Amino acid sequence: MKSDNVTKGMQQAPHRSLFNALGLTKEEMDRPLVGIVSSYNEIVPGHMNLDKIVEAVKMGVAMAGGTPIVFPAIAVCDGIAMGHIGMKYSLVTRDLIADSTEAMAIAHQFDALVMVPNCDKNVPGLLMAAARVNVPTVFVSGGPMLAGHVKGGKTSLSSMFEAVGACAAGKITEEELTEFENKTCPTCGSCSGMYTANSMNCLTEALGMGLKGNGTIPAVYSERLRLAKHAGMQVMELLKKNIRPRDIITKESIMNALAVDMALGCSTNSMLHLPAIAHEIGMELSPELANEVSARTPNLCHLAPAGHTYIEELNEAGGVYAVMNELNKKNLLNTDCMTVTGKTVGENIKDCVNTNPDVIRPIDNPYSETGGIAVLKGNIAPDTAVVKRSAVVPEMMVHEGPARVFDCEEDAIDAIKGGKILSGDVVVIRYEGPKGGPGMREMLNPTSAIAGMGLGSSVALITDGRFSGASRGASIGHVSPEAAVGGPIALIEEGDIIRIDIPKNTLDVLVSDEVLAERKKNWKPRELKVTTGYLARYEKMVTSGNRGAVLELK
């Protein structure tokens, strides 16, 4: 046991004295030490119930013969951080979470870990840490929020942001906006659509790192507490069998996750997080691989904001395993991959039935024959750019229009809400990439304003920043190389005609190579926006969005 380094032998007497100070008994020190990584806090709605989840995990670990010990992980609420300087601190926490968890787990020599995350960056951050530390690990999230209800229809956070745009356009009253405000987010949990948090929790099941239901059982269901107890018990089984994260997170399981991503229509942020997780096992996951997977993987779900169904309905229809079982009917998964159940993917999903074909389309009747995410290339994005194809209306799949260029998110929002963006325009928001932000802010405010003002079927938005999973429409992000390093997006000028062809995976500005080369000669790097603190260090180490914005020593 790794914990023998701190609990056994004469030289460890000082260590045991400190465990004594914690109130641990000799009996507890003689058992495996299991770290419970708790993302509980009182500022993120998806995390306010994690104290109860953690207590259930602790009970499960103890019942199975381990000694549970809790330590914390941070988390940012993307919704609260949205639209101001706080959003610069969202993506960057993924690496803080991975680094701090690695430090705590190794410094204290835990034998196993149970990760208790829920929201956008702490799920992938803890998956990265699990791959690094590589002791037996199980994930159990806090679960999704139930959908809200306004005027007889179900709502989620994207409805709230779009209501702000509708109010600004005079389409609804301030009183109606207040009704949305009071009813849209009715319970604790990760926001109820297929946004980044729920995407990553579902993909944790697909990777094999979470038990059945991890991504879909609502936060307020007592079933979630039972799941947490089973997660605590199961980590002890993994410890006995010595099944570790790198036995589970493999090239094959990441390809499974990518296929499930396409079937579910997950957030484009998965195209930042899956490459970062792959990077931890020494695999370079090119975004272009997504198009290969998409070409053979049908899109089976249109969950909000792409459609009118929610995570609670996905859960009732059979959850992630039911989606995987549909995909397996066409041999689209590697069913030999090991999982935290101690069984293979094939063994896990064989009896999981799709009980609602309106929520999970059968494999022979998909929403589309291709997956929910598309990776684009062209003279704007010589490396890559990403769009959530399943959330784009048909009339915007191919679009050509004049560029409306903004060098930060705030200026774009002012123009949109000020009525300066017209049908047919292509809004370009740049200098918001991993380095340019720094921090690669999400653009939910401008996309929601566009949708709320009735322009969602006629205006596109491209950026070197990223989008919330709540964004819908022709929202193209992760443009690489980014503007801050002189990528072609920095060379676009007001009025240039931009052509988007999602079926052909292309993104181009209709300007000659000679003109772009001349503009590049005159381009000068911008002064750094941040010169002190963590963001300054992040800016120096972060790589491009097409590489998952992983950190590397230069």
Side-chain angles (χ1 to χ4, degrees), residues 106-137:
I106 295 176
H108 300 103
Q109 293 291 283
F110 287 106
D111 297 305
L113 298 168
V114 179
M115 307 293 197
V116 187
N118 209 26
C119 289
D120 296 36
K121 309 309 169 302
N122 70 322
V123 179
L126 291 178
L127 283 165
M128 291 162 67
R132 283 187 207 171
V133 177
N134 202 36
V135 297
T137 302

Side-chain angles (χ1 to χ4, degrees), residues 470-490:
S471 293
R472 61 187 175 98
S475 303
I476 300 166
H478 309 190
V479 171
S480 303
E482 63 175 290
V485 298
I489 191 173

Side-chain angles (χ1 to χ4, degrees), residues 82-111:
M82 194 72 65
H84 55 87
I85 191 174
M87 182 45 68
K88 294 179 185 289
Y89 284 88
S90 171
L91 178 61
V92 305
T93 63
R94 184 187 71 184
D95 296 274
L96 284 174
I97 291 160
D99 292 348
S100 60
T101 302
E102 172 195 356
M104 288 291 288
I106 295 176
H108 300 103
Q109 293 291 283
F110 287 106
D111 297 305

Side-chain angles (χ1 to χ4, degrees), residues 3 16 23 30 48 61 74 77 109 112 144 226 243 247 296 332 359 373 379 397 400 417 479 531:
S3 61
R16 290 193 295 274
D30 286 341
M48 64 177 286
V61 169
I74 64 168
C77 176
Q109 293 291 283
R226 298 198 298 273
I243 298 174
D247 299 320
R296 61 177 181 263
L332 294 171
V359 175
I373 288 176
N379 66 0
M397 296 295 280
E400 193 171 299
K417 291 186 175 178
V479 171
T531 57

Side-chain angles (χ1 to χ4, degrees), residues 53 58 80 111 136 138 153 158 167 191 204 236 318 320 378 391 472 487 532:
I53 302 292
K58 288 174 66 178
I80 295 174
D111 297 305
V138 176
S158 55
C167 187
C191 296
T204 298
M236 297 304 296
V320 175
R472 61 187 175 98
T532 60

Side-chain angles (χ1 to χ4, degrees), residues 49-292:
N49 65 322
L50 295 192
D51 55 342
K52 295 178 177 59
I53 302 292
V54 166
E55 287 304 312
V57 172
K58 288 174 66 178
M59 186 172 293
V61 169
M63 285 192 294
T67 297
I69 301 175
V70 180
F71 66 87
I74 64 168
V76 162
C77 176
D78 277 28
I80 295 174
M82 194 72 65
H84 55 87
I85 191 174
M87 182 45 68
K88 294 179 185 289
Y89 284 88
S90 171
L91 178 61
V92 305
T93 63
R94 184 187 71 184
D95 296 274
L96 284 174
I97 291 160
D99 292 348
S100 60
T101 302
E102 172 195 356
M104 288 291 288
I106 295 176
H108 300 103
Q109 293 291 283
F110 287 106
D111 297 305
L113 298 168
V114 179
M115 307 293 197
V116 187
N118 209 26
C119 289
D120 296 36
K121 309 309 169 302
N122 70 322
V123 179
L126 291 178
L127 283 165
M128 291 162 67
R132 283 187 207 171
V133 177
N134 202 36
V135 297
T137 302
V138 176
F139 276 67
V140 56
S141 77
M145 183 184 291
L146 294 177
H149 292 81
V150 178
K151 299 185 186 306
K154 286 188 174 183
T155 60
S156 56
L157 186 64
S158 55
S159 313
M160 186 69 249
F161 278 88
E162 289 177 17
V164 173
C167 187
K171 294 178 181 292
I172 64 172
T173 65
E174 289 190 18
E175 289 75 19
E176 289 173 307
L177 180 64
T178 300
E179 183 180 6
F180 272 93
E181 184 179 330
N182 290 330
K183 295 180 178 179
T184 292
C185 298
T187 71
C188 62
S190 49
C191 296
S192 56
M194 186 51 82
Y195 309 149
T196 307
N198 290 328
S199 294
M200 294 310 302
N201 281 321
C202 287
L203 294 184
T204 298
E205 283 190 60
L207 277 170
M209 290 298 294
L211 298 176
K212 182 178 185 292
N214 176 68
T216 59
I217 298 169
V220 294
Y221 284 14
S222 296
E223 184 183 358
R224 173 70 49 183
L225 297 176
R226 298 198 298 273
L227 180 74
K229 291 174 184 176
H230 284 132
M233 289 185 271
Q234 187 59 28
V235 80
M236 297 304 296
E237 286 299 310
L238 296 183
L239 184 59
K240 290 175 187 174
K241 296 176 180 177
N242 195 29
I243 298 174
R244 303 176 181 229
R246 287 185 209 166
D247 299 320
I248 297 169
I249 304 175
T250 62
K251 179 179 179 180
E252 291 74 21
S253 72
I254 287 172
M255 294 303 291
N256 281 349
L258 196 52
V260 174
D261 187 337
M262 295 299 169
L264 286 172
C266 290
S267 164
T268 51
N269 282 312
S270 65
M271 297 309 299
L272 287 172
H273 301 321
L274 287 177
I277 295 162
H279 184 73
E280 295 293 339
I281 64 165
M283 173 188 173
E284 292 302 314
L285 178 61
S286 167
E288 293 175 78
L289 193 58
N291 285 341
E292 295 179 28

